[in-house]
């Protein structure tokens, strides 16, 4: 079996995300590469939640519409997802919650409530019961289930195992997800990968006010704080968050903040402070559907223009957009190092799909990420000037306390020593210094893979994309013989590399999750015109089928 897709659905509070993660771990143990998408409304209890896990022999970053196995914890799940069923799909359902006749012969009714009552188990343990049935139905051996539960359910482990075994024994085997030759890989969400990438490059402090879909970065950082010696803080507002992080940076501590669109709105004044005062800082901005509160648990790519233009005045910045967890890990480490090397704000512009989805990660990934790189430091000679002119616009850093020196940073117009001034000549020279720094950053980025090339490299038709559309565009391009180009760095705009990878393209199609084509407009400003736009802006990701149908409709 090369591929298998499972959907697990129920209400908020049923533990659907955790159930999906457990199914992902079970299939990962069999040597499959994993992608898991989690769909949920902004409700603490009720509504409809579902996870789709796609297990494949090849690395993947998108879910297909059809599923091989549907796990229904209630009637609503069966009704909503009936259109995803194929002729040979398997259905496992909670017999106490699904009352209508279940279609097809490959179905399995599990008396979950009765089993929980007999074992005196908590309602949340229904996941263990139904996943035991999943293992039996797909031929995954009981030892694999036991290993996964013992590793990932530290509380009431024995009772969870007992309930899972009851579900396992109550099911029938319909197919076999055999173990593949490849070794299992670790799986992680994009937010976990961002956290580990920042830690890899020497992060010392993380400050955030929780906001979906960025919140789990705060959870991960708090979980790993003691192990990695991190300061992790949750202040009273996003304004306090960014100012506190800038205070850490002034003191020489590598810091980052995380938020989503509404929270970043509150940070923009302090972003300009970082620009004028030349404070290095990483801002993780995870996009969700806007404007305003919008759909807080659904995805979008609507904040590109905002992030590139946020803040008053002109100052350099870096904006990177990872397309999956692997990109997130590598570019988070690079962004932190570049922020400190050039003393600029650096954005990791993620989206809900990249940040909250689960991906298999290559086992050798850690070795590919940048270790901490030392910034340019003051040599301690003479009088310290915080904004001393240099050949590349970057001034040596010093941190307080320094005996006999005052370490100034200034949001007002200032001279090389950091002394406030409104002199015209000095104002022009400091603007040119910041401009020179931006040019130096852009020059160094030419040594990075700012734009990635996939699919048929000499293809005349090209899909151009950014962020989480990587998975679907890469897969469709490979299947249809198209060229696929991913923008990993959005600012400074990688114009030279873009022109290289687009040589020979006769038809350029931009694929984005917004309703105006923000990336395409950015490219147009640099003389690169998309011939067509394929846009999705309903809060849901593209599936391969969505994109293929749209390409066929347009004759591509």
């Amino acid at each position: 079996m090369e591929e298998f897709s499972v959907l697990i659905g129920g209400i908020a509070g049923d533990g659907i995300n955790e159930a999906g993660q457990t199914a992902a771990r079970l299939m990962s143990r069999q040597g499959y590469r994993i992608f898991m998408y989690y769909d949920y409304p902004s409700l603490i209890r009720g509504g409809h939640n579902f996870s789709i896990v796609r297990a494949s022999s090849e690395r993947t970053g998108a879910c297909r519409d059809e599923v091989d196995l549907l796990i229904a914890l209630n009637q609503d799940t069966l009704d909503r997802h009936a259109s995803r069923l194929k002729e040979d799909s398997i259905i496992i359902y909670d017999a106490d919650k699904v009352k209508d006749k279940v279609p097809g012969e490959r179905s399995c009714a599990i008396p979950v409530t009765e089993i929980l009552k007999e074992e005196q188990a908590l309602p949340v343990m229904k996941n263990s019961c139904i996943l035991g049935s999943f293992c039996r139905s797909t031929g995954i051996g009981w030892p694999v289930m036991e290993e996964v539960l013992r590793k990932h359910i530290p509380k009431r482990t024995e009772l969870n195992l007992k309930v899972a075994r009851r579900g396992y024994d109550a099911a029938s085997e319909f197919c076999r997800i055999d173990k593949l030759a490849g070794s299992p890989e670790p799986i992680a969400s994009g937010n976990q990968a961002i956290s580990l990438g920042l830690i890899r490059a020497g992060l010392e402090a993380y400050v955030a006010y929780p906001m979906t879909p960025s919140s789990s970065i705060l959870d991960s950082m708090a979980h790993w704080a003691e192990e990695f010696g991190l300061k992790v803080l949750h202040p009273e507002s996003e304004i306090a968050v960014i100012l506190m992080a800038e205070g850490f940076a002034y003191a020489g501590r590598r810091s980052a903040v995380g938020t989503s669109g509404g929270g970043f709105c509150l940070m923009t004044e302090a972003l300009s402070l970082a620009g004028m005062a030349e404070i290095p800082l990483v801002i993780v901005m995870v996009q969700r559907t806007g404007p305003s509160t919008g759909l807080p648990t659904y995805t979008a790519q609507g904040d590109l223009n905002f992030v590139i233009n946020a803040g008053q005045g002109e100052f350099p910045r870096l904006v990177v957009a990872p397309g999956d967890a692997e990109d997130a890990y590598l570019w988070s480490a690079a962004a932190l190092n570049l922020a400190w090397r050039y003393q600029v704000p650096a954005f990791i512009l993620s989206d809900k799909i990249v940040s909250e989805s689960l991906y298999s990660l290559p086992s050798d990934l850690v070795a590919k990420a940048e270790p901490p790189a030392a910034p340019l430091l003051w040599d301690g000679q003479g009088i310290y000037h915080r904004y001393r002119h240099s050949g590349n616009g970057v001034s040596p850093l010093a941190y307080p306390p320094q005996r006999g020196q005052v370490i100034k940073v200034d949001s007002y117009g200032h001279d090389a020593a950091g002394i406030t001034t409104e002199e015209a000549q000095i104002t022009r020279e400091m603007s040119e210094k910041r401009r020179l720094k931006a040019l130096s950053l852009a020059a160094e980025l030419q040594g990075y893979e700012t734009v990635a090339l996939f699919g048929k490299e000499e293809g005349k038709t090209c899909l151009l994309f950014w962020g989480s559309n990587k998975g679907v565009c890469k897969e469709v391009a490979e299947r249809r013989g198209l060229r696929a180009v991913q923008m990993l760095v959005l600012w400074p705009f990688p114009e030279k590399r873009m022109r290289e990878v687009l040589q020979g393209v006769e038809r350029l199609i931009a694929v984005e999750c917004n309703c105006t084509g923000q990336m395409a407009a950015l490219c147009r400003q640099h003389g690169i015109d998309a011939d067509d736009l394929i846009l999705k802006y309903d809060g849901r990701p593209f599936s391969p089928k969505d994109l293929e149908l749209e390409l066929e409709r347009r004759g591509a």
Side-chain angles (χ1 to χ4, degrees), residues 121-177:
L122 298 172
V124 74
M125 293 182 184
K126 68 173 66 172
N127 285 325
S128 296
C129 182
I130 210 87
L131 287 167
S133 304
F134 162 70
C135 283
R136 179 67 174 272
S137 299
T138 55
I140 297 176
W142 173 251
V144 180
M145 181 73 184
E146 184 172 356
E147 178 197 346
V148 169
L149 289 190
R150 286 197 183 280
K151 182 169 183 180
H152 295 283
I153 302 185
K155 294 181 179 177
R156 298 187 175 93
T157 306
E158 296 307 321
L159 185 53
N160 271 289
L161 282 168
K162 204 170 181 181
V163 168
R165 185 71 207 200
R166 291 284 306 271
Y168 185 88
D169 291 339
S172 304
E173 184 174 318
F174 292 103
C175 66
R176 294 194 73 82
I177 301 179

Side-chain angles (χ1 to χ4, degrees), residues 112-129:
V112 177
T113 302
E114 183 182 328
I115 291 173
L116 295 185
K117 187 176 179 181
E118 289 176 1
E119 300 296 342
Q120 299 183 343
L122 298 172
V124 74
M125 293 182 184
K126 68 173 66 172
N127 285 325
S128 296
C129 182

Side-chain angles (χ1 to χ4, degrees), residues 365-410:
L365 189 60
V366 173
K368 298 178 182 175
E370 292 185 14
L376 179 64
L377 296 175
W378 180 50
D379 62 7
Q381 302 300 309
I383 303 298
Y384 179 66
H385 284 178
R386 170 66 187 88
Y387 302 108
R388 186 186 302 279
H389 291 282
S390 66
N392 64 356
V394 179
S395 308
L397 282 168
Y399 316 123
Q402 296 277 340
R403 184 181 296 275
Q405 303 289 339
V406 178
I407 312 298
K408 294 184 173 67
V409 290
D410 197 339

Side-chain angles (χ1 to χ4, degrees), residues 40 46 100 106 166 168 253 298 347 376 457 470 528:
Y40 61 103
D100 291 354
R106 290 160 64 88
R166 291 284 306 271
Y168 185 88
R253 302 296 184 192
Y298 287 91
F347 290 87
L376 179 64
E457 294 188 6
K470 174 183 179 181
I528 297 170

